[in-house]
Structure formats: structure tokens, C-alpha cells
Amino acid sequence: MAPLIGRRLRKGAATTAVAAAAMAALTASQAPGFASASDHGDRDRDREQSARESPAAGDDTPIDGGSSYHTDLPPLKKPDKPKSSADLPGIPGGGAKAEAGIPATVLAAYKKAEATLKDSNPGCNLPWQLLAAIGKVESGQARGGNVDAEGTTPRPILGPVLNGNGFAMIKDTDRGAFDGDATHDRAVGPMQFIPSTWANWGRDGNGDGDRDPNNIYDAALAAGNYLCAGGRDLSTEHHLHQAILGYNHSQEYLNTVLSWFQYYQRGTHEVPDGTGVLPTDNRSGGSGPGAGGKGSGKGHDGKDHGGKGSGGKEHGGKEHGGGSGGGTDQDRPRPLPKPEHPSQGGETPGTPAPKPPTTPAASSLAQVGAKELSATAGTAFAQPPRVRAVDAKGKPVAKAKVRYELIGETGARFAGLVKSAVVLTGSDGTATAPRLTAGEQPGSFTVRASVEGNKKLTPVEFKATVKARPAPQADVLARIDDKALTAAAGGAFADPLTVKATFKGKVAADVPVTATMVTADPEKPVENDKGPYFLDAKGKPVRTLTGLKTNALGQLTLPKILTDEHAGSYLLRLTTADGAVLTVELTVTPAAAS
């Protein structure tokens, strides 16, 4: 049977402070290549505010602020093993079958984030099961999949108040906008971001134009970007451990996430939203420290993990509390690999710091596919830059770090709105740049690809061109009403004149329109020298206006039309560059006798 060891691990303030210090260099180094210029500005402001208010709340704080987390361990039996669904009290289905079920919307969000990162940062090799493991530990898969159709939780999932009482002291950084607390910060949402971290890493995962930490699509994509930062390849053990420790710098946290990661890799299935297994602290509302429950059972190491539900300890045969059950040796997963600690202050005393993986030797870098790239302003380049690294014998070099940079004045950006990004080459030696989108600025620029750590290797350059958007077109101009336009001499027309432009029957937005008061000559209408007029920007009377444009609905309301002392019938002619013409009759009556 599956031991469900359930409560939130409460980390001491001293422990959190040490963890924050150990993470200083690690977390601060995660942004290059995937933080936008605006992100850096936000980060600097957060850092300045943190320095004034709370030394523990800067960029050296883990993604969840060193908050609490659920310590349930996965069942000992594999989810696809026959007769593995042993009933457990209070859990429909019980055992591995129940725990292997992930709520539909939550599962879709994890898989969508994986697909997005595969496009924007293919060298990261982010598996969705890692997001699922973190989501399980941080919020119990959004409290069992308690989300609406768009993936948003009905109320915020909040971690404990980070007021220094058992956790780090992190004073408010968002004025309570995300966590509802204007005094201290709290971790927020299914993936438990502290507000200052969300300000830097929040993403729009469901395409609704909003970045909401309480939306599982947004939170999953943000977490994926955070885990992939700094050119990590999560298929390597070193980078995988480094990424998880960046989320919460704790040995027991790493072990817990890895255990769920390995469990989900062996098999999962989709369950309806709201029916996922809840953590055993199962409190409504947030995800702060839980009281847990009494119980006993065997864990992954075959030792007793029973006990009271408070004061949880790490997994190495110590007390965890909650749940009951056991397992046989043949059912137990392989022992978890010992995590590697970052070399910047986080290594275990007496243990040498692990050496980062070295860049494989590449002797040449060559273009693959198109050498010249082009796109219309505001659209994505159809063919992203791609290169191939080979060694001296012409064999492909895998896992070489290729940095793509945008050189020159351009509004084009890689996915994430960044000007540079690091991608690892695959087994075939190729590295494809993240999705590249043209800005609004037409012109040419260069995309440069180089192998990091190898200055002797000649970079590869691609010529990229951004073409101007084609001018908006309109073949018909028409009034939106047929009301007669009449005004007295020396006055103004009370009713505004609004017209609509269309092109082949569809709304034509941003179409330039020229308005001219013309004579009644049907053959050669010219600008009139009397009658109705407009005022230009300086308040000077004019009878021709240029620079007018239709709005998103294809409509244009002309400025107020005034009249001089001449009564009579006059014509206003509206034209577009494509030859659409509309003539409107204006009637000016004599001024009233004084």
C-alpha cells in the first residue's frame, strides 16, 4: 500500500536564511538569455526595495521564498502494476491508481508548457513530469485540480505569511496585489511564486493577455522558464538538481520532488478536474503549514515514517507523520541520487563542489537551412536560425552551448522578448534558435550564433530583414447614417460626421483618409475658398485635412466642421489612397437676423 505522508514541511527561519544565502549566486545567475529588458528593470527595483525593507527578500530568495511544501511521498507500487490500487482510507480508488491521476486542466497546462519551451528553448529538454512533481509538492496539483475552465483557481492558493515566524522575513513587494497582504509576502498560486519572483518570471500561458499566478497555465509556463534559465539542460542530473534547488533550496525538498518526478515518469493518467488526490493536510484555502495527522507506515527506505503530523523531518528514515501502509523491496523505486549543491556557498561541509559540465569540443559551426531570413513587421519569422556543430572529424557535437544574439538596431526579439538566448545542440549537433518575431521597425539586422566558451570558433551570421507592413486598403467609404447635415452661417454643424471604410466587404482599419471641402465642379473638383472649414492643430482655418485614419472598427469621425458667413450648398470629399471616394453634401443656411 502507499504511504501518504502528508503535511507541509515547516522550515525554520535560520534554515531559510542559510538557504537564501546559499542561493545568492545561483538564483541571480538564472536570468541571462531569458529575462527581458523590462524584467531586469523590475528585478532592479525589487532588489532596491528588498535592500531597504528586508535583506532576505532579494534575488537570492528561492522561487517560493523558502516557504512550506507538501511532504507526501508517492506510493511504493508502480501506477501501472497489477493490483496496485489498494484502498486507502478516505481516498477513492486509493493507492497508486489514485495518486497517478492528474486533473485534466492541470495536466494540459503542464504539457502545454513543455511544448512551448520545446519551441522557445529546445536545449532545455523540460519534461512536463517535472512540472507535475513540483506542482504536487507545492500545491497538491492546484488542490486536486480545483480550477475553472480557463485554469484559474476559484480563490488564491496562499503559502504561509513570510514574517520571520518559522519562515524567512520578506516584507511586502507587491502592495498585496497578488497575495492580499500589504505587510508581508506570501507564496501564491498552484506553483507558489512569491510576488517579487512573479514580477520577473510571470508568463501568459493561456494567451488571454494576462499574467496570473493563480492560473495553472500561466504558472506552469513561468515555472518552466525559471527551471530552464541560464542555458540549463534538464536531461542532465547536475542541471536537474540545480533547477529544483533553485525552486526551494532544501535537500528534503529535492528528494521529495525527485521521488514524484520518477513516479510520474513511470506512468500517469488523466482524471476530471476537482477529483485529484488532496494532500493529507487537506485544508481549504491556501497552502501554508499544515497540522498533518497521526499515522504510521513504511516509506521508500522501508523504515517507519509514522508519527505526529508536526515537526516533519527529511526523508532519510526520519519521522514524516501521516498515512499508513508499507511495501516490499521489489516495489521500491531505485534510491534517489544524492543532489549536487551549487558551488557558491551551498555545498555540504567537507564535500567538494561539483564541477559544472564542460562544453563539448566543436571545431566548426555551420548554417543549416535558410541563410537569409525575412518577415513582415509584427509577425514571426517562418524559418528560425539553425546551426550545426561538428568536431574535427566532422561528427556532430551534442550538448554544445550555442548563443544566438541579435546584432543591430531592430525591434525583433526571441521568445520571451529577449535579444539573446542559449540553446544546447541535440544529438545530431543542431541547435535551433527560439521563435524569432519581427518588431514594427523595418530594416535589416544580423543574427549571430556562436559556441560559448570557444572564442576561436568563427561565429555564424544570418542576415535578417523586416519588411514594412503593407499599407491598409479600402475600396469603399460610406456614412454610417443618412442624416442631412445643416448649419447656420457663422456657426458649426452640431451633428458629427462618421464614415466607415471596408475592403472587399471587410472592415478596413488604420486606413489613411483625406477630407477636402471642394467646389461643385463634377469634372475637376478643387479645394473651395469659402464655406465650411476645419481648424488645424494651431487653430487656423483649413479646408483640407490629411493624416486622418480609421479606427479598429474601420470608422472615422471627422473633427468639428465650422461655417463662415457664406450660405449655400457645399461638398465635402473624402478619399483614400486606393481610390475609394465619398462625397457628402453640406447645407449652410443664412444667419439669423440680429
Side-chain angles (χ1 to χ4, degrees):
M1 287 188 292
L4 297 178
I5 301 167
R7 68 186 177 282
R8 302 279 282 182
L9 179 65
R10 187 177 178 87
K11 299 171 64 64
T15 302
T16 306
V18 172
M23 286 303 298
L26 171 65
T27 310
S29 68
Q30 291 172 339
F34 287 93
S36 66
S38 61
D39 289 339
H40 288 300
D42 292 341
R43 177 173 300 155
D44 292 340
R45 288 191 292 273
D46 289 338
R47 184 183 294 113
E48 292 172 3
Q49 182 173 358
S50 299
R52 293 193 303 270
E53 298 182 349
S54 174
D59 269 354
D60 57 350
T61 306
I63 194 170
D64 65 2
S67 186
S68 59
Y69 54 87
H70 296 291
T71 60
D72 300 44
L73 290 177
L76 297 177
K77 293 180 182 288
K78 296 182 179 180
D80 56 354
K81 188 179 182 67
K83 299 181 181 180
S84 63
S85 303
D87 292 334
L88 291 179
I91 300 179
K97 182 177 180 181
E99 283 290 358
I102 299 179
T105 299
V106 177
L107 180 60
Y110 295 150
K111 291 184 176 181
K112 181 175 174 61
E114 179 195 59
T116 300
L117 267 298
K118 187 174 291 185
D119 179 43
S120 65
N121 189 1
C124 174
N125 297 305
L126 171 76
W128 67 261
Q129 292 91 341
L130 177 59
L131 295 174
I134 292 174
K136 177 69 173 180
V137 170
E138 291 290 346
S139 70
Q141 310 297 20
R143 307 299 294 172
N146 185 18
V147 296
D148 61 20
E150 284 71 42
T152 303
T153 59
R155 53 180 173 174
I157 298 176
L158 300 176
V161 178
L162 300 176
N163 58 4
N165 183 18
F167 300 98
M169 165 68 79
I170 302 182
K171 291 188 177 181
D172 175 66
T173 60
D174 66 331
R175 299 181 181 179
F178 292 126
D179 56 14
D181 191 330
T183 304
H184 297 93
D185 272 347
R186 304 175 69 175
V188 182
M191 303 303 280
Q192 291 289 277
F193 280 80
I194 55 173
S196 59
T197 309
W198 182 259
N200 288 335
W201 291 94
R203 295 292 186 268
D204 177 15
N206 60 356
D208 64 356
D210 190 21
R211 300 187 303 166
D212 183 359
N214 297 297
N215 180 277
I216 185 60
Y217 287 98
D218 294 357
L221 182 58
N225 274 276
Y226 190 96
L227 294 168
C228 286
R232 291 198 188 104
D233 177 5
L234 298 181
S235 66
T236 67
E237 182 178 290
H238 174 82
H239 284 175
L240 175 65
H241 291 182
Q242 190 183 55
I244 297 172
L245 287 170
Y247 216 105
N248 189 315
H249 193 74
S250 158
Q251 174 78 28
E252 53 267 43
Y253 180 87
L254 175 61
N255 286 346
T256 306
V257 170
L258 285 176
S259 67
W260 282 107
F261 177 44
Q262 293 172 356
Y263 179 74
Y264 287 140
Q265 283 183 314
R266 292 197 295 271
T268 61
H269 60 272
E270 179 183 299
V271 298
D273 290 342
T275 65
V277 176
L278 290 173
T280 52
D281 63 350
N282 195 15
R283 294 168 297 105
S284 61
S287 53
K294 295 182 179 181
S296 62
K298 302 289 184 180
H300 287 160
D301 50 13
K303 297 183 180 180
D304 185 16
H305 287 262
K308 297 181 179 180
S310 60
K313 300 179 181 179
E314 62 184 68
H315 295 180
K318 304 296 180 66
E319 181 186 72
H320 282 272
S324 63
T328 64
D329 289 337
Q330 65 182 2
D331 291 328
R332 296 189 191 102
R334 296 187 305 274
L336 297 175
K338 185 177 180 180
E340 297 177 77
H341 288 265
S343 59
Q344 299 91 342
E347 57 270 349
T348 303
T351 301
K355 295 181 180 180
T358 57
T359 302
S363 62
S364 66
L365 199 64
Q367 293 172 329
V368 178
K371 296 182 179 181
E372 295 188 2
L373 315 170
S374 65
T376 301
T379 66
F381 285 81
Q383 294 180 306
R386 191 181 184 199
V387 296
R388 185 170 184 260
V390 298
D391 60 18
K393 297 181 180 180
K395 295 183 177 180
V397 176
K399 298 183 179 180
K401 290 184 177 180
V402 175
R403 176 173 289 278
Y404 284 98
E405 300 176 274
L406 305 183
I407 309 298
E409 293 296 325
T410 177
R413 293 293 184 269
F414 291 117
L417 301 180
V418 295
K419 294 188 68 175
S420 67
V422 175
V423 179
L424 274 71
T425 56
S427 58
D428 61 351
T430 62
T432 302
R435 184 179 178 84
L436 180 60
T437 302
E440 294 298 331
Q441 177 182 342
S444 298
F445 63 97
T446 299
V447 181
R448 179 179 297 162
S450 59
V451 176
E452 287 203 326
N454 193 339
K455 296 182 179 180
K456 295 182 180 180
L457 198 62
T458 303
V460 169
E461 294 188 346
F462 299 79
K463 180 181 178 181
T465 303
V466 178
K467 301 176 182 178
R469 291 178 185 267
Q473 295 177 292
D475 52 13
V476 174
L477 281 175
R479 290 185 60 184
I480 64 171
D481 61 47
D482 56 0
K483 187 176 182 179
L485 297 174
T486 303
F493 289 85
D495 296 318
L497 173 60
T498 301
V499 298
K500 183 177 181 179
T502 57
F503 182 71
K504 295 182 179 180
K506 296 183 179 181
V507 168
D510 297 321
V511 174
V513 177
T514 299
T516 306
M517 301 294 178
V518 296
T519 61
D521 185 349
E523 298 295 329
K524 294 181 179 181
V526 296
E527 183 180 276
N528 214 327
D529 58 357
K530 62 181 179 179
Y533 62 91
F534 303 104
L535 294 178
D536 64 13
K538 296 181 179 180
K540 179 182 177 182
V542 293
R543 290 188 169 85
T544 298
L545 280 182
T546 59
L548 303 172
K549 281 189 177 183
T550 59
N551 60 18
L553 299 176
Q555 297 181 1
L556 167 65
T557 299
L558 271 68
K560 179 176 288 190
I561 302 174
L562 298 92
T563 61
D564 60 13
E565 70 276 14
H566 300 95
S569 181
Y570 298 91
L571 298 178
L572 168 61
R573 192 168 185 256
L574 304 172
T575 60
T576 70
D578 302 299
V581 178
L582 172 65
T583 302
V584 180
E585 184 176 353
L586 305 176
T587 301
V588 180
T589 61
S594 59

